[in-house]
Amino acid sequence: GTGEVAMTPEQRAVWLTKRLKNIGSSESAALLGISPWKTRFELWMEKAGEIDPPELDNAYVHWGTLLEPAVALGVAAEKGWKIQKVHRYIESAAVMGMAASLDYEIISHPKGPGCLEIKTMDRWEWKQIGEELPLHYEVQLQHQLAVTQRSWGAVGLLVGGNDLRVFERETHEGVSQRIQTEIREFWLSVREKRRPPIDWDADADTVIALHQQVEPKKVVKLEADGALQDMLVGYLGAGAAIRDHEGFRKRARAMLLEAMDDAEVAFVETPDHGTFRIKSWVVDEAEIKTVRRGYRQVRVTPPKEQE
């Protein structure tokens, strides 16, 4: 069996508190800059207490949790392993601020105890990543092996609901040492309040969320470095491009409707691009009640308009 027992609310509260003080195995990928979900900057801001960690309650996580016991049983049956669910939060004896929550552990095995991580993935995503175990899952397992000081483990991955893949891995000393070194440096940087560099593409939402307060009548003078100057010019250019784009779409829509009159569908054969199909429909009137969340707006005024 898998020894399934649900985590109590008290256990979950303790786990959440400890999680803030540790880098868990699912966070090592962000630490190394290879996570598809979180950047190192975002992780740093969470652990420094500057932003709240996201709630892990989306549909993907929900179904993954529900399917986990069934996938684990499938792995055990296919490999002939004896497994059990792990409920304890394991903190590293070697590195302060490093911990792991295992899904399952493999017991009574000739190679000794092993860690078992369970994952689910749809078939389209599996094809997109080249049908190989994602690097962030590899790092997660190596993190768990380092914390538990075990020599081997596995990732059980269910693809598309009916295709089970089991990836067995030994401890990789190079990866293990890199993770532990990065964690020590990470917590040192938190204590010394040294924020990691901002990735302006990946971290834009996080940075904007951090700066939602305005002090009335406060004025500052900023140093015009090259990056800030380019951003100011680009910001104005982007606004103009959006207005031009919206204006063009409005003109095009008017021209198309004039040509179609009251037809629902029209075909336009062109000598250069083939045949276009145009469809139009009426959107019924509806009363829509929405609540706009507050946000901080920015307006850039160019030098010539200030004179």
Side-chain angles (χ1 to χ4, degrees):
T2 59
E4 278 299 315
V5 180
M7 188 184 290
T8 67
E10 292 77 15
Q11 288 173 321
R12 180 171 175 78
V14 171
W15 173 72
L16 288 172
T17 301
K18 287 186 174 181
R19 195 164 175 254
L20 276 176
K21 299 176 181 178
N22 287 287
I23 299 295
S25 60
S26 63
E27 297 171 320
S28 270
L31 191 67
L32 300 181
I34 58 171
S35 170
W37 304 293
K38 186 178 294 185
T39 67
R40 184 175 177 129
F41 176 81
E42 191 176 358
L43 179 69
W44 193 98
M45 297 304 284
E46 286 179 9
K47 300 301 182 181
E50 298 290 336
I51 60 175
D52 293 328
E55 289 291 328
L56 301 177
D57 60 356
N58 59 52
Y60 193 85
V61 172
H62 172 72
W63 281 103
T65 303
L66 287 178
L67 290 169
E68 182 187 288
V71 178
L73 284 171
V75 171
E78 180 170 303
K79 304 298 292 187
W81 293 341
K82 185 177 180 182
I83 66 171
Q84 65 182 13
K85 180 67 179 169
V86 179
H87 293 289
R88 64 191 184 280
Y89 187 74
I90 308 167
E91 295 180 277
S92 170
V95 180
M96 185 176 293
M98 180 179 186
S101 293
L102 307 187
D103 287 340
Y104 293 85
E105 58 189 351
I106 304 156
I107 57 178
S108 304
H109 194 281
K111 290 198 292 186
C115 301
L116 175 61
E117 185 68 18
I118 301 299
K119 302 294 183 185
T120 58
M121 185 180 295
D122 63 56
R123 198 167 302 281
W124 180 85
E125 185 181 0
W126 177 242
K127 296 285 187 185
Q128 290 293 111
I129 63 173
E131 301 189 358
E132 293 182 357
L133 188 65
L135 187 55
H136 53 279
Y137 291 162
E138 298 273 12
V139 167
Q140 183 175 2
L141 181 59
Q142 290 297 324
H143 180 119
Q144 293 174 355
L145 295 176
V147 168
T148 59
Q149 297 183 334
R150 292 175 178 174
S151 63
W152 79 289
V155 177
L157 174 65
L158 184 67
V159 178
N162 60 3
D163 183 6
L164 181 63
R165 312 288 179 111
V166 182
F167 302 86
E168 295 182 50
R169 297 289 187 264
E170 307 293 324
T171 292
H172 189 292
E173 283 302 326
V175 174
S176 180
Q177 288 303 317
R178 169 78 189 282
I179 293 169
Q180 293 176 71
T181 299
E182 289 287 350
I183 288 175
R184 290 189 182 98
E185 162 56 26
F186 178 88
W187 287 116
L188 180 61
S189 74
V190 171
R191 289 194 297 274
E192 295 179 350
K193 301 188 186 311
R194 288 184 285 109
R195 297 195 320 184
I198 296 171
D199 180 329
W200 293 110
D201 286 319
D203 293 319
D205 286 338
T206 302
V207 174
I208 289 169
L210 281 168
H211 299 287
Q212 287 301 302
Q213 301 298 320
V214 173
E215 182 66 35
K217 298 183 180 179
K218 180 178 178 179
V219 178
V220 296
K221 189 170 184 179
L222 304 178
E223 293 297 323
D225 60 26
L228 183 57
Q229 178 176 289
D230 290 346
M231 194 63 74
L232 285 167
V233 174
Y235 189 87
L236 289 172
I242 290 170
R243 289 190 295 274
D244 288 347
H245 176 73
E246 290 173 345
F248 175 81
R249 284 180 63 87
K250 186 175 181 180
R251 293 191 300 274
R253 187 164 167 241
M255 182 182 290
L256 292 172
L257 292 177
E258 172 68 15
M260 291 177 70
D261 196 12
D262 58 358
E264 180 186 18
V265 177
F267 292 92
V268 183
E269 293 185 21
T270 67
D272 300 324
H273 303 288
T275 302
F276 289 81
R277 181 178 184 270
I278 310 163
K279 182 175 181 178
S280 87
W281 61 95
V282 175
V283 179
D284 294 333
E285 182 178 328
E287 184 179 346
I288 302 173
K289 293 183 179 180
T290 62
V291 177
R292 186 185 68 196
R293 297 181 63 183
Y295 63 97
R296 188 174 175 186
Q297 184 57 283
V298 174
R299 178 184 295 118
V300 176
T301 303
K304 62 182 180 181
E305 292 183 19
Q306 298 177 45
E307 296 171 357

